[in-house]
Amino acid sequence: MDKFAIHGGVPLRGEIAVSGAKNSALPVLAACLLTEDPVILHRIPRVRDVRTMERLIEYTGASLERDGGPLKIVAKDITSAEAPYDLVKTMRASSLVLGPLVARCGRARVSLPGGCAIGARPINLHVTGLEHLGARIRQEHGYIEAEAPQGLRGAMVSFDRITVTGTEDLMMAAVMARGDTVLENAAREPEVTDLAGLLNKMGARIEGAGTSVIRIHGVDHLHGAEHTIIADRIEAGTFLIAGALTRGDLVVRDCVPEHVHALTVKMREAGVTVEEAGPTALRVTCEGALRSVDMITEEYPGFATDLQAQFMALMTQAEGISLITEKIFENRYMHAPEMVRMGANIRIDGRQAIVAGPRELTGAAVIASDLRASASLVLAGLVARGETVIDRVYHIDRGYERIEDKLSRVGAKIQRVG
Ligand code: EPZ
């Protein structure tokens, strides 16, 4: 089982490139099931979760080609409208094939994802939305069975709470429904907008993506398209924090500064210098003392829950008390006890984490529990005195493309050990 060995204390200097967004790649791959024509996708990151989605797409009968360049997907014939448990259990975002399969085939059988380290992660809002569009849904033996033999019909869908993949799933289900669909209280994440961009290139008629009301006019057919997905804003934010934490001078390039605005506002409040270094690059330096700031995770454009653990690592080095509130998931502080073992002063009280700093971190053997928690432990290891060994780094490989290579190129002493 792979581990990372990190020797902390080295300021990161130079340029670090951001890959395509994992959370764009996953819905965009599912969208390819909506047409029998070829879809060409650029900037799909080589991360574990994308590989899982590629296997799932192939399982349904689509063919994939990636000869070193863009990814070409041809879903000419769907031979199985099913997402089996052994694939879904490793990646709950597999539920993103539910909408496309019902829209394309009139039926789908998708394993319920089950929970994960950060929470129960139900998909009830996906299911309710599909029922509004006319699908008949049964749940048995751990699977969702959806049927719409006469196709789906447009409807008003108002989400009880904002759901990113729920919005994406329903958008894909509605593109070929008879009539118009309105998604209310929709997620506004950039990845939703990116998906709508591809779907419209394929012939869909979607308006309002990126706002909380998305209108979809059903069309009869979608055709092939070519698309480049957006940069990964969570990877970009992770690297910005790494540059500040190590007191380096780091340019994070190939990113979208606007997509990490909530983070950069908080970093500047904490005394970090973050400057635009061109339209797709940010430069981060941190000379003076870091100041503690409070933070609450919110749906986009608020502070991303996927950057909460990384921001906590930064606050362990800040002067004062930082009150962090995790409002999206019910159990997303698994990284805190591991940071405490490294010397951090963190107390968890329900949805809140109280971080008192600055506290020197010392290297330790720690265990990754989920994707973003593992990223935060890498950050803690970069600033800790001595060696940190992180176990179960397959979690980090789910969402970061060879993070140890990217960090090593800007000076980090990090290596993957067997
Ligand atoms: C997406 O997950 C992301 N994953 C997550 O990133 C991210 O943390 C999350 O959005 C929030 O931003 C992908 O895009 C593939 P939600 P998603 O549905 O869509 C509850 C990462 O690290 N909910 O927006 O699954 C849910 O339990 C991953 O890259 C329901 O109750 O999240 C949560 O509390 C982790 N019923 C809240 O809503 C539902 O039917 C938001 O979840 C759906 C969600």
Side-chain angles (χ1 to χ4, degrees):
M1 188 153 339
D2 280 356
K3 299 180 181 181
F4 280 160
I6 305 171
H7 289 270
V10 180
L12 303 187
R13 288 198 176 88
E15 285 200 0
I16 194 163
V18 173
S19 301
K22 163 182 85 80
N23 290 347
S24 250
L26 297 176
V28 153
L29 282 168
C32 297
L33 298 177
L34 290 164
T35 177
E36 66 277 10
D37 293 348
V39 180
I40 311 288
L41 301 172
H42 296 265
R43 208 177 178 184
I44 299 292
R46 290 176 179 277
V47 296
R48 197 185 179 93
D49 274 4
V50 169
R51 186 68 203 116
T52 302
M53 182 60 88
E54 289 173 349
R55 283 170 50 208
L56 178 53
I57 298 294
E58 286 173 320
Y59 184 91
T60 67
S63 68
L64 278 73
E65 286 169 39
R66 181 188 321 226
D67 48 2
L71 182 62
K72 176 180 176 184
I73 295 180
V74 185
K76 190 156 185 52
D77 303 302
I78 301 287
T79 52
S80 166
E82 181 169 327
Y85 177 64
D86 65 344
L87 279 174
V88 176
K89 70 183 177 190
T90 63
M91 185 191 62
R92 59 177 313 289
S94 306
S95 55
L96 280 165
V97 300
L98 187 57
L101 286 174
V102 177
R104 172 82 185 271
C105 310
R107 60 186 177 78
R109 184 170 187 270
V110 174
S111 167
L112 278 163
C116 72
I118 62 177
R121 313 291 296 276
I123 60 168
N124 58 307
L125 300 176
H126 300 229
V127 170
T128 313
L130 275 174
E131 287 175 329
H132 283 309
L133 294 180
R136 280 198 312 279
I137 308 269
R138 277 183 308 138
Q139 180 178 325
E140 55 182 19
H141 308 304
Y143 277 78
I144 294 282
E145 314 226 353
E147 287 187 347
Q150 278 74 42
L152 297 169
R153 63 174 188 279
M156 160 79 77
V157 176
S158 185
F159 290 108
D160 290 351
R161 67 176 296 176
I162 294 171
T163 162
V164 176
T165 51
T167 300
E168 294 164 344
D169 217 353
L170 270 295
M171 195 156 71
M172 291 188 280
V175 287
M176 291 189 286
R178 288 186 308 282
D180 292 352
T181 295
V182 178
L183 303 182
E184 280 195 336
N185 199 24
R188 295 183 279 169
E189 271 67 6
E191 293 76 24
V192 172
T193 308
D194 200 20
L195 173 64
L198 168 64
L199 290 169
N200 282 339
K201 284 181 187 173
M202 294 167 71
R205 291 178 53 206
I206 301 169
E207 298 150 11
T211 75
S212 54
V213 180
I214 299 177
R215 298 179 189 288
I216 301 136
H217 308 284
V219 296
D220 294 334
H221 176 259
L222 293 192
H223 51 71
E226 187 160 359
H227 187 70
T228 300
I229 66 171
I230 57 172
D232 193 314
R233 59 194 169 97
I234 306 304
E235 187 189 18
T238 304
F239 292 148
L240 285 169
I241 293 171
L245 204 46
T246 60
R247 305 308 181 118
D249 184 342
L250 194 63
V251 173
V252 177
R253 62 180 174 78
D254 305 337
C255 68
V256 180
E258 179 200 342
H259 291 171
V260 288
H261 180 68
L263 169 67
T264 52
V265 163
K266 281 293 166 189
M267 290 179 77
R268 291 185 183 109
E269 276 179 29
V272 180
T273 303
V274 185
E275 301 156 315
E276 297 224 350
T280 60
L282 288 168
R283 180 181 174 204
V284 58
T285 55
C286 185
E287 263 80 40
L290 269 173
R291 296 186 295 272
S292 292
V293 292
D294 294 345
M295 181 273 281
I296 299 173
T297 64
E298 301 274 2
E299 294 87 356
Y300 191 88
F303 193 103
T305 174
D306 292 351
L307 285 169
Q308 176 257 108
Q310 299 90 316
F311 191 74
M312 184 183 287
L314 183 67
M315 288 296 103
T316 66
Q317 304 305 302
E319 283 183 5
I321 303 281
S322 166
L323 186 56
I324 293 174
T325 307
E326 172 53 63
K327 282 178 62 179
I328 307 295
F329 290 110
E330 61 267 31
N331 184 35
R332 201 166 198 178
Y333 289 131
M334 309 275 278
H335 43 284
E338 297 302 299
M339 288 184 196
V340 168
R341 294 184 57 247
M342 298 173 73
N345 181 342
I346 305 169
R347 188 165 58 81
I348 303 299
D349 177 10
R351 288 288 184 114
Q352 292 195 315
I354 300 97
V355 186
R359 291 289 293 262
E360 184 194 39
L361 300 185
T362 55
V366 293
I367 293 185
S369 54
D370 59 271
L371 168 53
R372 306 305 174 180
S374 46
S376 72
L377 295 176
V378 170
L379 295 176
L382 291 175
V383 73
R385 175 167 52 81
E387 182 182 54
T388 298
V389 177
I390 304 175
D391 200 354
R392 301 186 187 172
V393 291
Y394 58 83
H395 286 293
I396 207 164
D397 292 333
R398 297 187 56 171
Y400 291 88
E401 235 180 354
R402 303 294 303 175
I403 192 169
E404 72 276 22
D405 296 344
K406 290 190 178 184
L407 289 172
S408 298
R409 281 199 287 274
V410 288
K413 289 183 183 164
I414 176 174
Q415 61 178 14
R416 189 180 290 260
V417 295

